[in-house]
Amino acid sequence: RGRRNQKGKNRGCVLTEIHLNVTDLDLGYDTKEELIFRYCSGSCDEAKSTYDKILKNLTRKKKLVTDKVRQACCRPTAFDDDLSFLDDNLVYHILKKHSAKRCGCV
Amino acid sequence: EPVLSKGNNCLDAAKACNLNDTCKRFRSAYITPCTSSTSNEICNKRKCHKALRLFFDKVPPKHSYGMLFCSCRDVACTERRRQTIVPVCSYEDREKPNCLNLQESCKKNYICRSRLADFFTNCQPESRSVSSCLKENYADCLLAYSGLIGTVMTPNYIDSNSLSVAPWCDCSNSGNDIDECLKFLNFFQDNTCLKNAIQAFGNGTDVNVW
């Protein structure tokens, strides 16, 4: 039971969305168009693979020379469809792989 | 100052489209081929037309008509409306053919032939009717009109201060067929049934039909 509680506390790696103006992205476009931006957030503390488990154990026992080895990160495993928009000078632009569709601890 | 500075209905429709997954997907799906230049052409017109047909086939009218038939008060808005179909690829061509010749090439294609027939049936003006349409059905007229987008008869707005539309053709070099040609072209350019249908959608005055 204790374990389940802990799991609930650690909000897992999930897809979250936010409504933005295209200009909020700071990619240099002048336009009034908007988008839904989806991103991955949450912890990946639950070691998934044996590799992750070993890393965790070795880090705890201070057996690794460097601490730079990274635990799994919550990242997109698939991207949303392309987004197109017309800018203030009547030029079309297309954003690819700009927004997450699925997330995973990788 | 940039052309599109203030907000307008066409901008609102574009925003609404990108917040809807279906509209966003099919919009990008035609913007991509319609704006990708090939080695010796501005774009692959065939692919652009195909993706435009798919957009109007798959996206609910609320969104697709929202961008195509939005009502405007300024040039920023009408220019955005004119750009909806990416006219530099889907509409304009190096030469303007004679409208009757264009009609002939349309009739050789199954999709174009049937959609042009639908347009002439469903947007037939009738001055004595309240709606100005013989069929008294704006939704059918707009469906028939938007159905032409993505065929060789692809129509677009011809200027920024009216709802006049036309396919990419004119009536020069018509010879003896000049009257027939003008009749054809004016069915697009000067059609009160179509204009009223576009206006009714843009103003939301014919809401129960959609």
Side-chain angles (χ1 to χ4, degrees):
Chain A
R1 181 176 281 181
R3 221 180 165 187
R4 200 177 292 162
N5 280 343
Q6 208 175 348
K7 242 185 192 174
K9 234 185 258 175
N10 280 337
R11 194 170 60 101
C13 170
V14 291
L15 189 65
T16 311
E17 63 177 45
I18 177 174
H19 182 175
L20 296 172
N21 296 319
V22 172
T23 48
D24 293 332
L25 306 178
D26 271 339
L27 296 173
Y29 300 110
D30 293 320
T31 178
K32 301 278 182 299
E33 291 207 33
E34 300 175 359
L35 80 158
I36 301 283
F37 175 67
R38 297 187 174 99
Y39 60 98
C40 298
S41 69
S43 76
C44 288
D45 288 349
E46 286 286 315
K48 263 191 154 183
S49 63
T50 308
Y51 174 82
D52 290 323
K53 218 174 279 177
I54 294 169
L55 270 190
K56 205 171 188 176
N57 295 342
L58 294 180
T59 310
R60 194 173 57 232
K61 290 185 174 172
K62 298 195 163 63
K63 282 200 173 173
L64 296 179
V65 192
T66 164
D67 279 338
K68 294 271 167 70
V69 282
R70 297 276 185 235
Q71 296 289 320
C73 284
C74 181
R75 296 278 302 161
T77 53
F79 288 100
D80 218 341
D81 296 316
D82 297 350
L83 178 89
S84 55
F85 58 88
L86 189 63
D87 76 16
D88 290 352
N89 295 307
L90 300 170
V91 178
Y92 276 109
H93 300 280
I94 300 155
L95 296 185
K96 293 174 187 292
K97 293 191 174 182
H98 64 289
S99 173
K101 185 181 189 176
R102 274 193 299 276
C103 304
C105 293
V106 291
Chain B
E1 202 196 350
V3 190
L4 305 179
S5 50
K6 281 167 282 173
N8 59 59
N9 286 339
C10 294
L11 175 63
D12 289 344
K15 286 182 189 174
C17 177
N18 278 352
L19 300 184
N20 174 285
D21 281 334
T22 304
C23 192
K24 179 183 77 169
R25 180 151 57 94
F26 285 103
R27 185 189 187 201
S28 299
Y30 81 76
I31 299 295
T32 304
C34 298
T35 57
S36 311
S37 59
T38 64
S39 52
N40 46 4
E41 296 284 339
I42 291 176
C43 65
N44 184 326
K45 197 167 192 157
R46 197 179 51 81
K47 284 185 180 172
C48 170
H49 276 175
K50 193 176 180 185
L52 274 167
R53 292 201 304 274
L54 210 56
F55 176 80
F56 287 102
D57 281 350
K58 302 285 183 189
V59 175
K62 183 180 127 182
H63 289 295
S64 59
Y65 291 7
M67 292 199 287
L68 187 63
F69 301 129
C70 36
S71 65
C72 286
R73 286 180 182 165
D74 56 28
V75 180
C77 180
T78 56
E79 273 308 304
R80 176 178 271 280
R81 186 172 62 189
R82 236 174 46 76
Q83 292 300 326
T84 304
I85 64 165
V86 198
V88 69
C89 175
S90 72
Y91 185 62
E92 292 158 26
D93 222 324
R94 268 164 288 188
E95 284 167 23
K96 249 189 186 180
N98 180 280
C99 292
L100 296 180
N101 291 342
L102 188 65
Q103 191 184 8
E104 283 307 308
S105 26
C106 173
K107 282 180 175 171
K108 284 179 192 144
N109 176 281
Y110 167 74
I111 297 176
C112 194
R113 184 173 63 231
S114 62
R115 293 191 176 184
L116 187 62
D118 279 350
F119 176 63
F120 276 95
T121 303
N122 291 308
C123 297
Q124 186 70 52
E126 169 54 62
S127 53
R128 283 166 298 179
S129 92
V130 185
S131 64
S132 299
C133 298
L134 184 65
K135 290 268 180 183
E136 306 263 26
N137 189 327
Y138 288 156
D140 284 352
C141 174
L142 295 187
L143 184 66
Y145 172 85
S146 60
L148 286 172
I149 294 169
T151 69
V152 294
M153 206 49 81
T154 298
N156 199 20
Y157 298 96
I158 49 179
D159 55 48
S160 46
N161 38 33
S162 77
L163 290 176
S164 258
V165 298
W168 186 258
C169 66
D170 63 24
C171 286
S172 54
N173 304 315
S174 289
N176 289 337
D177 299 326
I178 184 75
D179 288 345
E180 198 194 333
C181 184
L182 287 173
K183 194 180 159 199
F184 177 88
L185 184 55
N186 282 334
F187 194 93
F188 286 88
Q189 276 187 20
D190 195 18
N191 183 326
T192 42
C193 169
L194 177 60
K195 276 181 192 167
N196 285 358
I198 295 174
Q199 220 151 30
F201 180 87
N203 299 334
T205 48
D206 201 37
V207 282
N208 34 0
V209 184
W210 322 107

